[in-house]
Amino acid sequence: MEYTNIIKRINNKICYLTINRPKFLNALNNSTITELSSVIKSINKDISVRCVIITGSEKKAFVAGADIKEFSSFNKKQGKLLSKSGHDNLFNLIENLDIPCIAAINGFALGGGLELAMASHIRIASTNAKLGFPEVTLGVIPGYGGTQRLPQLVGKGIAFEMITTGKMISAEEALNIGLVNKVCNQEDLLDTCEEIANRIIGNSPVAISKAIKSINACYKSGVDGFKTEIELFGSCFETEDFEEGTKAFMEKRKPNYN
Ligand code: DAK
């Protein structure tokens, strides 16, 4: 697939995805969502990629939300259908990737943009970032998982406040409430994400994929996360990665997970 609204680059086992609609502060229109879905599906099959970093092309924006001009004409049926399709084909897809996804929040992360960051496993923000859910100012509610993932990350009370006021918060405030993992200067943002990515890359990809599944099980209704952990833990044994990891420890060397 040809990508018009995203730039994909792979270097040292890290796939960098840059959302590139600078004229619209990288607002997510349908074609960008389709492109992201396609690229994420292909990355999950690419064994040479061990971590994804998603960022925005504009200095001032990660993603300033869903494309308001586009969704302003949707009817009830389209709204529901597109919400379901966005959940299935992009936001849940990222959350359930076999490899970790880091959101490098380089500016505005609003509405659908913040939902994209929240579907990622790790969030790093630059000091200029502004985060929020302005949906209710437009007469809608978050439709790509925001009402579910925000309380999981920051608790119910703060989620109610953020979603009902629609106000933006600073990177520092986002750090204080646990919405982002770390804050750094904009010029250090990719280096900070790469530092985390490189630590991840040194570890067992098999174990990482199982850890992602097990952590996600904690938030799935009708799923016993402890049971999931027991199953996945057991399945780590007899894998090549387990053999290599334990052997490397005994041989006093770093494991080599290719
Ligand atoms: N959509 C479309 N265009 C946008 C945009 C957006 N979300 N955000 C910015 N732009 C465009 C602006 O219209 C402007 O274009 P021109 O007027 O120059 O043609 C250009 O980007 C530059 O923006 P500004 O001139 O406004 O830049 P400022 O620095 O003055 O302000 C700002 C930056 C981020 C504060 C402001 O642009 C702003 O308030 N933007 C809108 C933020 C927002 O409300 N985002 C939407 C949140 S609601 C759905 C599922 C989910 C959703 C919707 C539907 N379905 C399944 C159907 C989710 C909804 C949301 O995300």
Side-chain angles (χ1 to χ4, degrees):
M1 183 178 191
E2 286 284 304
Y3 302 119
T4 316
N5 302 322
I6 50 176
I7 302 164
K8 175 188 166 189
R9 176 171 70 91
I10 297 178
N11 190 36
N12 289 335
K13 301 183 182 176
I14 303 173
C15 178
Y16 300 82
L17 296 180
T18 306
I19 300 166
N20 189 32
R21 295 186 79 219
K23 275 191 191 151
F24 309 99
L25 304 186
N26 301 325
L28 291 178
N29 60 356
N30 264 325
S31 62
T32 307
I33 289 182
T34 306
E35 288 183 19
L36 275 170
S37 170
S38 158
V39 79
I40 300 273
K41 280 177 186 156
S42 73
I43 290 165
N44 214 24
K45 287 193 205 127
D46 183 345
I47 53 161
S48 71
V49 174
R50 302 272 276 275
C51 191
V52 184
I53 297 177
I54 302 187
T55 195
S57 65
E58 236 281 336
K59 272 206 161 171
K60 77 181 188 190
F62 173 69
V63 171
D67 191 314
I68 300 171
K69 287 158 207 158
E70 187 178 72
F71 77 72
S72 62
S73 62
F74 291 166
N75 60 31
K76 200 166 152 183
K77 195 174 165 197
Q78 283 172 307
K80 192 173 165 185
L81 270 177
L82 288 164
S83 173
K84 167 99 176 69
S85 146
H87 278 263
D88 293 346
N89 294 312
L90 182 59
F91 295 83
N92 292 349
L93 188 70
I94 292 175
E95 187 171 70
N96 294 303
L97 272 172
D98 287 321
I99 52 176
C101 177
I102 303 174
I105 306 171
N106 56 308
F108 290 111
L110 304 174
L114 185 48
E115 286 172 315
L116 184 66
M118 291 197 308
S120 305
H121 305 105
I122 296 168
R123 284 156 293 283
I124 310 298
S126 52
T127 45
N128 63 310
K130 295 263 182 230
L131 304 87
F133 284 104
E135 279 87 343
V136 295
T137 69
L138 298 161
V140 285
I141 63 168
Y144 288 136
T147 63
Q148 304 305 297
R149 291 192 180 99
L150 186 64
Q152 288 171 0
L153 284 165
V154 304
K156 203 169 164 184
I158 293 172
F160 272 125
E161 185 181 340
M162 280 186 70
I163 290 175
T164 57
T165 61
K167 78 167 186 171
M168 291 185 214
I169 60 169
S170 66
E172 205 57 42
E173 286 173 276
L175 181 68
N176 289 340
I177 61 172
L179 184 53
V180 299
N181 301 45
K182 217 175 247 190
V183 174
C184 61
N185 291 327
Q186 191 167 46
E187 54 273 27
D188 300 327
L189 183 60
L190 281 188
D191 284 351
T192 306
C193 294
E194 278 166 14
E195 220 172 277
I196 298 170
N198 285 326
R199 285 196 80 98
I200 290 168
I201 288 166
N203 295 327
S204 153
V206 169
I208 284 170
S209 124
K210 290 176 195 292
I212 292 173
K213 285 190 179 65
S214 195
I215 294 170
N216 283 339
C218 177
Y219 301 100
K220 290 206 168 108
S221 67
V223 172
D224 181 339
F226 288 99
K227 223 170 156 181
T228 305
E229 183 185 273
I230 292 165
E231 285 302 318
L232 289 167
F233 176 75
S235 72
C236 292
F237 293 81
E238 294 178 27
T239 64
E240 280 179 21
D241 279 15
F242 175 70
E243 199 179 310
E244 168 61 10
T246 48
K247 200 167 156 221
F249 175 80
M250 272 150 342
E251 290 172 359
K252 298 191 184 300
R253 61 172 172 84
K254 280 198 166 170
N256 182 13
Y257 299 114
N258 278 322

